[in-house]
């Protein structure tokens, strides 16, 4: 692979590592523990040699989003269709002493 700008290479490496972490977290059932990816502000224009890799990572990100959306739909459906239980009866006392 042709060497791309160091800042872009580091940013894409970081993003790819986050996608790996998200994939592992989804597999383990705890995707909430992965912090969001924050791109550096000073990246500048993406070098042409980085475009293909960035597009691959974008597609991978979109696939993970689709997986999460399906999982959220399953959970939502289960919550909507769960049997409801009546509220527990509270004990009541009536004091009849005078």
């Amino acid at each position: 692979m042709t060497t791309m700008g160091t800042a872009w290479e580091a940013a894409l490496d970081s993003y790819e590592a986050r996608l790996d972490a998200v994939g592992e977290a989804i597999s383990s059932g705890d995707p909430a523990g992965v912090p969001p990816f924050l791109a550096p502000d000073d990246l500048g224009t993406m070098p042409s040699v980085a475009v293909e890799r960035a597009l691959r990572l974008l597609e991978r990100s979109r696939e993970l989003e689709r997986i999460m959306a399906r999982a959220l739909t399953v959970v939502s459906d289960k919550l909507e269709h769960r049997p409801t239980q009546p509220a527990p009866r509270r004990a009541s006392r009536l004091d009849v002493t005078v």
Side-chain angles (χ1 to χ4, degrees):
M1 176 188 230
T2 308
T3 304
M4 65 179 89
T6 307
W8 271 103
E9 187 173 7
L12 292 177
D13 287 347
S14 178
Y15 189 59
E16 186 170 24
R18 183 183 178 280
L19 293 178
D20 290 342
V22 168
E24 291 172 15
I26 290 171
S27 295
S28 72
D30 185 24
V34 179
F37 172 76
L38 301 173
D41 292 330
D42 58 349
L43 285 175
T45 304
M46 180 183 287
S48 59
V49 296
V51 172
E52 187 177 319
R53 180 177 181 207
L55 289 172
R56 282 193 315 267
L57 293 175
L58 176 61
E59 183 51 39
R60 186 170 167 209
S61 176
R62 288 179 175 159
E63 179 58 26
L64 290 169
E65 289 174 8
R66 287 187 289 270
I67 290 168
M68 282 300 301
R70 286 191 300 267
L72 290 172
T73 299
V74 168
V75 170
S76 177
D77 288 348
K78 286 182 180 181
L79 289 174
E80 282 184 23
H81 297 102
R82 69 184 170 96
T84 57
Q85 297 178 353
R89 296 185 72 194
R90 292 179 35 195
S92 60
R93 295 186 186 165
L94 178 60
D95 186 358
V96 291
T97 58
V98 181

